[in-house]
Amino acid sequence: MAVASGPYPRPRPAPPEREGLLGWFTTVDHKRIGILYLLTSGVFFLVSGVEALLMRLQLATPEAEFLGPGAYNQLFTMHGTTMIFLVITPLLLGFANYFLPLMIGARDMAFPRLNALSYWLFLFGGLLLHFSFVEGRAPDVGWFAYAPLTERPYTTTSSADYWALGTLVTSIGTIATALNLVVTVLTLRAPGMTWSRVPVFVWMSVFTGLLILWAFPTLTAAQVMLLLDRHLGTDFFKPAEGGDPLLWQHLFWWFGHPEVYIMVLPAFGIISEVIPVFARKAIFGYAFLVTAGALILFYSLLVWAHHMFAVGLSVPVNAFFGAASMIIAVPTGIKVFNWLGTLWGGRIRFTTAMLFALAFIPLFTIGGITGVQFAVVPVDWQTTDTYYVVAHFHYVLGGGSLFAILAGIYYWFPKITGRLLDERLGRWNFWTMFIGFNLTFFPMHFLGLMGMPRRVYTYPDLSGWGALNLAQTVGAGITAVAVLILLWNLYVSLRRGRPAGDNPWDAWTLEWATTSPPPAYNFVAVPVVRSRRPLLQEALPPVRGGAGGDPAAPEAGPALRREAGHGVLERLSPVSLGMLAFISSEVVFFGGLIGTYVWYWDRSLAGPGPEVLDVPLVALFSLALFASSGTLVLAERRLDRGSRRGFRLWLLATIGLGLLFLAGQATEYTSLYREDVRLGTNLFTSAFFTLTGFHAAHVTAGLVSLAALAWLTRPGTGPGLRRGSPAANAISIYWHFVDAVWVVIFSVVYLWTAT
């Protein structure tokens, strides 16, 4: 059944933001940024693939000498780090960048400039990481960078610094992208697009954004502590000074296990868009599918010690995380049944996109089943650090995320370029990828059960090991051929591919309602949504302007915005919502620092402890910070009443109290340093100065923001800020958060441990 794009008028052609290469460097268009993400991640994928091939050549035969242990460790580390931080995650974020605004009927992301900054941070972090090859000091500590192997004297070169700095910069960009995705969906949905009509890919992107906001900050905290250990003498992960390497694992895997779902949830979304279109059926069990995604979001934050069963945790702790690791398989299984239910009775079209989507289901299921096996602690003890884990991981992320990405490429390439990929080449691509992938990774299950350890550059000539490894290397070569076929297909189709038209698949989500490729402003009019499949709805009168309209058209009125079904959060301004999302991420970051302080405050082998803190002095200048929240509330009330002078006076009082707090903290630091209590003295001082120092940095950022507000309301500046100013509200939220964090820090550090 052909589906017309009738309800939505055709966009007028619009020139790009700027002509030529400069336009791509300066773009803030979500579509161009999405393409930049996809292209850059594609290049990193090729680099990572070459690294994998070199490792497989080394492992093709027993006791081979193609690579030495040092070179192998570098390739192993860079392959894993690149695939996770620079390939799978940003590829999926690239799809979200391009298609999420289109799918909700928006013109762009909520924060276009932040979106551009996110990409450049991702690119710079990736280049910084790979510059280590140029210097000859590529990281060789594994993508997990376990301490104390990353500490001196175990890693004396700058390789660990490249790993920490490169992934830190990239992670900051990823967090910014996540914030943007969440706020965009909350605030820019088209009229009528209630939450029950949001496409599944959009739902999964929102869940992914929340996971990034709540998982990445602990990794950021760990990276900062590692850099402080290596360069400023702190002792967080140094066993000789009492530091605990298990702390690194707790912080890392709080990020590391949700990261699996960060790389899988958007893949679930892609599959949930592709299968219904080519089965010619609406997605089966939409509500269950979305709810399952929400449950995965929740449970993924409760299973981090799933990766730590072999480190000696207590039996109750192992039992809890084992049960949580089993439970999280339930919502994942629900999704599989949703896809199978959609296929049942459908009129299936076996396009290349559909073939990859269909292959995704059994391949990901294999990875999921082996994951549940690891939830059984005795089984995990037997198979941990063997090739069985490698097989599981690659079936989840290769058979899962990668096959979904390939389905997305074949599905959305016509919308991005206006041309179809060649289906004959596509089928060659699919079968070589399917055969090569399984030949590469399925034998790893047997090798793992036979006892072959992972992360080794060579192995003895034991029965069966050489033959299985040789088969894997052949499979890796076939997979490389599949990648070359994909590249050739992309090249040929871009040059002379068949024109796609606006909706070549007869799909029904909003991205297919505009031209291929879409114009700069996406839609000539605001799409009005009446169903979950808007391109099947009856023709509706176009509505001018708004989130997705002609730039020259007026904004949509309040009635249209109400029709989108916005709730309490969505009624906030994008700036305020963005600040709340940022603060939720900062809560996790400070949680990591506060947890570290609690872990270490009484575990120093020698030297000062919390008793050296001057509690009365700190209580005095803390009162100034607590009072600043009150003066800021009074300032906001004056602004609401239209009194700019009163607002500015109370704002200046808030700034003064904040400066008084910083002066008091500087006095405390000076006093401690006079007593030779310094950052690197012991575990207590490392944790104390890091925690309070980061809080002071946040106070300083808040004072700069408050000073900017005061400058905007100085006499003779015209209308300036008005009642309900988004900027004023966002800065106010941030300042109250900074005060609330100090309440927790003061209670833990000064009222509990120091007394």
Side-chain angles (χ1 to χ4, degrees):
M1 178 180 64
V3 178
S5 306
Y8 310 110
R10 314 313 311 140
R12 296 194 301 271
E17 296 162 287
R18 289 192 181 183
E19 298 290 345
L21 188 61
L22 181 61
W24 288 91
F25 278 105
T26 60
T27 185
V28 294
D29 180 4
H30 72 96
K31 298 181 292 298
R32 284 190 163 194
I33 292 171
I35 291 172
L36 288 172
Y37 264 111
L38 294 172
L39 291 177
T40 306
S41 301
V43 172
F44 284 129
F45 173 71
L46 296 178
V47 172
S48 181
V50 171
E51 293 164 349
L53 284 174
L54 292 174
M55 288 190 291
R56 284 310 326 162
L57 288 173
Q58 165 63 22
L59 295 170
T61 57
E63 301 175 353
E65 298 180 356
F66 175 68
L67 294 174
Y72 183 89
N73 286 341
Q74 291 179 18
L75 291 174
F76 162 76
T77 300
M78 292 297 288
H79 169 73
T81 304
T82 302
M83 286 298 294
I84 289 171
F85 289 95
L86 304 176
V87 177
I88 301 294
T89 300
L91 272 174
L92 293 166
L93 291 179
F95 279 126
N97 247 289
Y98 194 103
F99 289 105
L100 185 141
L102 288 165
M103 296 177 88
I104 64 172
R107 176 182 295 168
D108 208 323
M109 299 284 275
F111 307 112
R113 289 180 176 81
L114 180 64
N115 199 27
L117 176 63
S118 301
Y119 166 75
W120 292 110
L121 287 172
F122 153 67
L123 176 61
F124 179 74
L127 293 177
L128 179 62
L129 180 67
H130 284 80
F131 182 77
S132 60
F133 278 122
V134 178
E135 194 177 336
R137 296 177 178 178
D140 57 358
V141 291
W143 78 272
F144 38 80
Y146 276 169
L149 298 179
T150 47
E151 296 278 8
R152 303 179 191 275
Y154 305 105
T155 302
T156 57
T157 68
S158 58
S159 60
D161 301 320
Y162 277 113
W163 182 91
L165 286 171
T167 55
L168 176 62
V169 173
T170 298
S171 298
I172 293 171
T174 302
I175 291 172
T177 298
L179 181 154
N180 223 339
L181 292 174
V182 173
V183 176
T184 299
V185 177
L186 282 172
T187 60
L188 297 182
R189 299 194 311 279
M193 184 169 280
T194 61
W195 285 110
S196 63
R197 297 171 182 168
V198 169
V200 176
F201 178 73
V202 176
W203 270 114
M204 297 304 121
S205 296
V206 170
F207 294 150
T208 300
L210 293 174
L211 261 185
I212 290 171
L213 289 172
W214 301 337
F216 266 78
T218 61
L219 174 65
T220 302
Q223 290 163 328
V224 168
M225 289 185 227
L226 175 62
L227 290 170
L228 291 176
D229 273 8
R230 289 180 57 81
H231 297 287
L232 294 181
T234 57
D235 302 320
F236 290 111
F237 309 117
K238 298 176 181 177
E241 307 299 330
D244 193 347
L246 279 186
L247 175 63
W248 174 272
Q249 292 200 35
H250 280 294
L251 293 171
F252 181 86
W253 288 117
W254 175 274
F255 145 81
H257 199 86
E259 171 66 8
V260 173
Y261 295 100
I262 288 168
M263 293 186 285
V264 164
L265 281 172
F268 290 167
I270 293 173
I271 298 303
S272 300
E273 299 299 332
V274 172
I275 286 180
V277 169
F278 295 114
R280 307 316 299 159
K281 282 179 62 181
I283 190 72
F284 175 78
Y286 171 91
F288 285 99
L289 188 67
V290 173
T291 302
L295 290 173
I296 290 172
L297 163 65
F298 173 74
Y299 281 113
S300 67
L301 296 170
L302 301 178
V303 294
W304 76 90
H306 171 105
H307 298 266
M308 300 172 61
F309 287 149
V311 304
L313 301 175
S314 67
V315 172
V317 171
N318 282 342
F320 171 83
F321 285 105
S325 301
M326 293 180 187
I327 291 172
I328 200 171
V330 175
T332 306
I334 289 173
K335 290 180 177 293
V336 173
F337 284 109
N338 284 127
W339 298 321
L340 295 177
T342 306
L343 291 168
W344 186 266
R347 293 175 293 163
I348 300 175
R349 291 185 291 170
F350 292 99
T351 63
T352 305
M354 188 61 158
L355 289 173
F356 276 110
L358 292 174
F360 165 91
I361 297 175
L363 295 180
F364 179 79
T365 301
I366 291 172
I369 290 172
T370 53
V372 174
Q373 292 171 350
F374 291 129
V376 182
V377 177
V379 174
D380 184 88
W381 286 344
Q382 292 298 316
T383 56
T384 191
D385 283 336
T386 70
Y387 261 79
Y388 200 81
V389 179
V390 181
H392 155 71
F393 191 66
H394 282 85
Y395 267 87
V396 170
L397 296 184
S401 299
L402 183 58
F403 269 67
I405 288 168
L406 291 168
I409 289 173
Y410 279 90
Y411 179 61
W412 277 317
F413 182 86
K415 178 54 59 178
I416 297 174
T417 66
R419 295 184 179 275
L420 291 165
L421 284 167
D422 185 273
E423 283 291 309
R424 183 178 60 85
L425 286 173
R427 281 170 169 74
W428 277 100
N429 182 204
F430 168 75
W431 287 111
T432 51
M433 180 63 73
F434 184 79
I435 294 169
F437 176 84
N438 284 284
L439 185 57
T440 302
F441 297 107
F442 197 79
M444 291 182 181
H445 294 98
F446 303 112
L447 279 170
L449 294 176
M450 292 163 68
M452 182 172 175
R454 58 176 173 161
R455 306 170 189 159
V456 293
Y457 84 102
T458 190
Y459 55 92
D461 189 9
L462 298 177
S463 177
W465 286 27
L468 288 173
N469 273 286
L470 180 60
Q472 292 169 202
T473 301
V474 172
I478 296 173
T479 304
V481 172
V483 173
L484 293 176
I485 293 173
L486 173 64
L487 293 175
W488 179 249
N489 199 354
L490 292 170
Y491 173 75
V492 170
S493 299
L494 277 172
R495 294 197 62 186
R496 55 177 185 270
R498 185 160 57 91
D502 296 344
N503 190 3
W505 311 127
D506 294 342
W508 41 66
T509 44
L510 285 179
E511 75 269 29
W512 302 103
T514 186
T515 56
S516 302
Y521 49 83
N522 292 348
F523 301 96
V524 73
V526 176
V528 179
V529 177
R530 302 295 188 192
S531 73
R532 203 171 287 155
R533 296 189 286 173
L535 266 65
L536 290 179
Q537 70 195 42
E538 60 182 343
L540 297 171
V543 183
R544 306 295 296 177
D550 187 331
E555 286 293 316
L560 278 179
R561 288 193 291 270
R562 284 196 299 271
E563 196 175 346
H566 295 321
V568 175
L569 279 178
E570 295 97 316
R571 293 192 189 102
L572 295 173
S573 71
V575 176
S576 296
L577 270 174
M579 182 57 71
L580 287 173
F582 171 72
I583 285 173
S584 74
S585 185
E586 288 292 276
V587 166
V588 179
F589 176 77
F590 273 107
L593 296 182
I594 293 170
T596 299
Y597 176 84
V598 172
W599 192 282
Y600 280 146
W601 70 273
D602 63 344
R603 295 177 63 172
S604 298
L605 299 180
E611 69 278 356
V612 302
L613 301 178
D614 190 341
V615 178
L617 172 65
V618 176
L620 189 61
F621 65 73
S622 296
L623 288 175
L625 187 63
F626 300 151
S628 69
S629 276
T631 57
L632 186 56
V633 169
L634 293 173
E636 291 176 292
R637 290 180 178 176
R638 295 300 184 276
L639 184 61
D640 288 343
R641 296 172 186 171
S643 173
R644 293 178 60 202
R645 182 174 180 275
F647 171 74
R648 189 163 182 268
L649 288 175
W650 283 114
L651 197 62
L652 291 173
T654 304
I655 294 172
L657 290 169
L659 290 172
L660 183 61
F661 170 80
L662 287 181
Q665 197 165 30
T667 301
E668 181 192 31
Y669 280 10
T670 302
S671 175
L672 291 172
Y673 266 62
R674 285 173 180 168
E675 298 177 16
D676 206 28
V677 178
R678 303 175 183 272
L679 176 66
T681 301
N682 59 22
L683 286 173
F684 160 72
T685 60
S686 297
F688 167 77
F689 282 112
T690 301
L691 173 58
T692 56
F694 267 100
H695 179 264
H698 282 68
V699 172
T700 302
L703 288 174
V704 171
S705 302
L706 292 171
L709 285 182
W711 176 259
L712 291 174
T713 56
R714 71 191 188 280
T717 55
L721 295 175
R722 297 181 181 274
R723 177 180 178 179
S725 163
N729 289 341
I731 293 171
S732 174
I733 292 170
Y734 177 81
W735 187 257
H736 293 313
F737 162 72
V738 169
D739 285 7
V741 170
W742 187 252
V743 171
V744 177
I745 293 175
F746 182 76
S747 300
V748 171
V749 176
Y750 295 94
L751 296 184
W752 174 40
T753 62
T755 57

